[in-house]
Amino acid sequence: MKKITTVLTLAILFVFGLKTNAQLKGNFDSFNEEKDELGITGQYFGKSDKKGYGFKFVKEADGKIVNELHYYEKKKTPQPALKLTLKESYYNKNKVKLFYVWMTASASGYVEVLEVDPGVFAQIQQTQYSSNGGPAPLEANRKVTDVYIKDQAKFETWDVETAQAKVDLIIASLNTEKIEKETAEWMKNEIFAKNVDKVVFAAQWYHLQKQGYPDKLAVSGADFKTELDMGGNMNFMAFFSVPPSVKYPGQQINIEYEMAGKKTNRETLRKKSAAWSNMVKILETKNFEYRQSPTRAIREYNQYQSQFVQDYAAIQLLYDNKDKLKVGQTYDFTVRVYVHRDGENGAVLAEGTVKLKYTEAAKKVFEGDPTKPEAKGVFAQFEQFLNE
C-alpha cells in the first residue's frame, strides 16, 4: 500500500517489484462495478493524499480458496502491488474483516488493514512482534497510520484518530472470547480466585511471584501477609481479572496509597518537580501484560543493588503520618491500582489493605538509631530529598 511502501526499504520495494511513481496512479472506477462476497472490491481513497487505490477481494484462485485482499497502486497492472490474507477465524466468528501481510520477517515489515466501517479500512502497523507466518497476536500494539475510504464524503467522519479508537474497540471485542477462556483457567486456582482484583502483600517479593513466571501463578500464597513489620521489607502485587495491557492499551497505571485519612498517589507527585519526576517513573499498561502485576515495594532491601529501594509516593504518605506513629501500634495501609489517562484516574484495577506495625525495629529504621547517630533514619533522608 502506498503508505506501506513508504516505510519499507528499497530492497523490499525491489522484492515486490513496486515503483511508487505517482504518474502511474490512476482511477479505479471500474472496480466499483465488481461485486464480491464481502462487499469490499472498489476504488478507495487515501486519507493522507486523497489519491485513488484499488481494493479487490479474491475468494478463489487456481481452484483453491485463498480469501485475499489484492491491493493496486497503478491503473493497469496484471498483478496487484500486494496480496493480503484474511484472518478467517475473526471473520467466521465475529464478521471482522482483517487482512495482513508480512513483507519482511520483522515487525516493521508487517501490515494490516481492518474494516472499521462499510467501505472504510484502517491501515495498521505494529512494532512488537516478529514474523511467525500468521497474523500478529491480538495483544500487539496496533497503530493506525492511514485510512482508506470508498465514499469520499466519509472523510468528514473518519480520520486516523477516529479509526484508532474503532480499531481498539474491535480488537478488545476479539480479545473477549480468548480472555474469558484464559480467565476460566486462572479461576481454577484457589489463590487467584480468592484474590482477583485485589492487592496482596508479603515480606519478600518472591513470596508473591516466582521469578521468571509472571504469566503463571507459581506460589502457594502461604506467605501472603495481612500484617507487615515496618522495620522489614514491605512488598505487594496486584491480581487482575483481565491484563491491563489488553483491556486498556496505550494507557498508564497510577498507584494510590491511603493511611489514617491521608492519601498520596504516584502521578500527582511525579508532576510536582524534576526531583519527583526522577524518583517516580511513569508506569504503562503495556508493562502490565499478565493477570498478576510486577511485584512492587513500599520499601525493601534489594540484594542485587545492595541498598534499600522504596516507592517515594508511599514514603511520602508514611512521612505525612510520622507524628501519629507509636511503637506497638498497627495502621491500615491501603493500596489502589488505577488505570490512568490524560491526567485522570479511570477504573480501579485492584485494591488491598495491610496492617503496618510500628515496632521498635521500625522506629529505629524510620526515626534513626540513637546508638548510631551517624546513620540517618528514613524520615531524615526523605526530608533531605524534599529540600532538594
Side-chain angles (χ1 to χ4, degrees):
M1 313 186 88
K2 62 159 192 339
K3 269 69 66 179
I4 296 173
T5 57
T6 60
V7 301
L8 299 179
T9 63
L10 292 176
I12 300 170
L13 294 175
F14 177 79
V15 169
F16 283 89
L18 303 180
K19 295 181 181 179
T20 55
N21 187 338
Q23 298 290 331
L24 297 177
K25 293 177 182 177
N27 71 64
F28 295 85
D29 285 341
S30 61
F31 280 36
N32 293 330
E33 300 173 5
E34 301 182 30
K35 305 296 180 183
D36 65 68
E37 292 85 344
L38 300 188
I40 293 174
T41 301
Q43 175 171 237
Y44 288 73
F45 299 88
K47 174 69 175 178
S48 63
D49 60 13
K50 303 301 190 295
K51 292 180 180 178
Y53 300 89
F55 281 28
K56 182 179 289 189
F57 176 70
V58 178
K59 183 177 180 64
E60 186 176 350
D62 299 324
K64 296 181 180 180
I65 300 298
V66 294
N67 286 331
E68 293 176 340
L69 176 64
H70 290 188
Y71 164 79
Y72 295 81
E73 291 187 342
K74 303 174 185 178
K75 187 174 182 179
K76 294 181 180 179
T77 52
Q79 293 294 325
L82 289 176
K83 296 179 180 180
L84 298 93
T85 302
L86 174 69
K87 176 60 177 174
E88 294 180 351
S89 63
Y90 294 175
Y91 181 74
N92 293 337
K93 294 179 180 179
N94 305 94
K95 301 304 177 186
V96 170
K97 303 171 190 176
L98 182 146
F99 297 86
Y100 65 93
V101 61
W102 287 100
M103 291 180 284
T104 61
S106 67
S108 61
Y110 175 83
V111 179
E112 294 175 342
V113 291
L114 173 62
E115 187 180 65
V116 293
D117 198 56
V120 181
F121 277 86
Q123 177 181 305
I124 303 166
Q125 290 185 306
Q126 58 84 25
T127 58
Q128 288 179 277
Y129 296 87
S130 295
S131 173
N132 60 2
L138 288 173
E139 60 268 23
N141 182 24
R142 288 173 163 83
K143 180 181 180 182
V144 175
T145 56
D146 206 349
V147 183
Y148 292 90
I149 298 177
K150 191 181 285 189
D151 180 0
Q152 295 189 74
K154 289 190 174 182
F155 279 131
E156 295 182 5
T157 302
W158 289 96
D159 55 21
V160 168
E161 291 73 20
T162 305
Q164 183 71 64
K166 187 62 179 290
V167 166
D168 291 344
L169 185 64
I170 292 172
I171 296 301
S173 177
L174 289 173
N175 258 315
T176 300
E177 183 177 350
K178 175 185 175 184
I179 291 298
E180 287 177 349
K181 289 180 179 179
E182 292 177 351
T183 300
E185 287 299 310
W186 275 77
M187 289 297 287
K188 294 177 182 179
N189 186 293
E190 182 180 356
I191 300 302
F192 180 77
K194 181 180 178 180
N195 294 290
V196 64
D197 298 327
K198 295 181 181 179
V199 174
V200 295
F201 302 85
Q204 307 297 340
W205 68 265
Y206 49 82
H207 290 160
L208 297 168
Q209 186 179 123
K210 186 175 180 180
Q211 187 172 17
Y213 291 87
D215 58 338
K216 294 180 175 63
L217 215 171
V219 297
S220 67
D223 294 305
F224 292 179
K225 301 295 184 183
T226 57
E227 181 176 300
L228 293 172
D229 185 341
M230 286 178 62
N233 293 335
M234 299 175 283
N235 293 276
F236 67 90
M237 182 184 75
F239 285 108
F240 306 117
S241 54
V242 179
S245 63
V246 173
K247 192 170 184 178
Y248 301 100
Q251 299 191 38
Q252 295 179 1
I253 293 289
N254 191 18
I255 301 178
E256 178 185 79
Y257 301 104
E258 181 175 3
M259 176 178 168
K262 297 179 182 292
K263 295 181 181 180
T264 60
N265 73 81
R266 290 175 57 86
E267 277 300 300
T268 297
L269 292 172
R270 184 180 67 80
K271 297 173 183 176
K272 283 187 65 174
S273 66
W276 271 106
S277 184
N278 184 54
M279 288 299 182
V280 179
K281 303 301 183 183
I282 294 175
L283 301 178
E284 298 180 276
T285 56
K286 70 179 182 180
N287 297 318
F288 286 66
E289 52 188 321
Y290 305 109
R291 283 175 173 75
Q292 48 190 17
S293 74
T295 58
R296 299 196 60 82
I298 297 171
R299 186 174 187 273
E300 72 160 349
Y301 184 77
N302 186 301
Q303 61 180 345
Y304 300 107
Q305 300 181 34
S306 299
Q307 64 181 12
F308 282 92
V309 295
Q310 56 197 17
D311 188 328
Y312 271 53
I315 299 303
Q316 176 72 71
L317 181 61
L318 297 178
Y319 180 81
D320 290 343
N321 284 285
K322 62 183 173 57
D323 294 335
K324 300 178 182 177
L325 300 175
K326 296 181 180 180
V327 172
Q329 297 294 311
T330 60
Y331 304 86
D332 286 348
F333 187 92
T334 298
V335 177
R336 298 183 186 91
V337 181
Y338 289 89
V339 65
H340 190 82
R341 188 172 192 171
D342 299 328
E344 299 289 338
N345 285 340
V348 178
L349 302 180
E351 179 177 348
T353 299
V354 67
K355 291 185 179 297
L356 299 184
K357 189 167 186 178
Y358 200 62
T359 60
E360 286 286 356
K363 182 178 176 66
K364 290 181 180 179
V365 167
F366 282 87
E367 298 182 35
D369 187 345
T371 66
K372 300 177 181 179
E374 72 282 0
K376 294 181 180 295
V378 172
F379 289 148
Q381 295 174 28
F382 188 68
E383 285 179 347
Q384 285 185 320
F385 162 73
L386 294 177
N387 292 327
E388 288 181 359

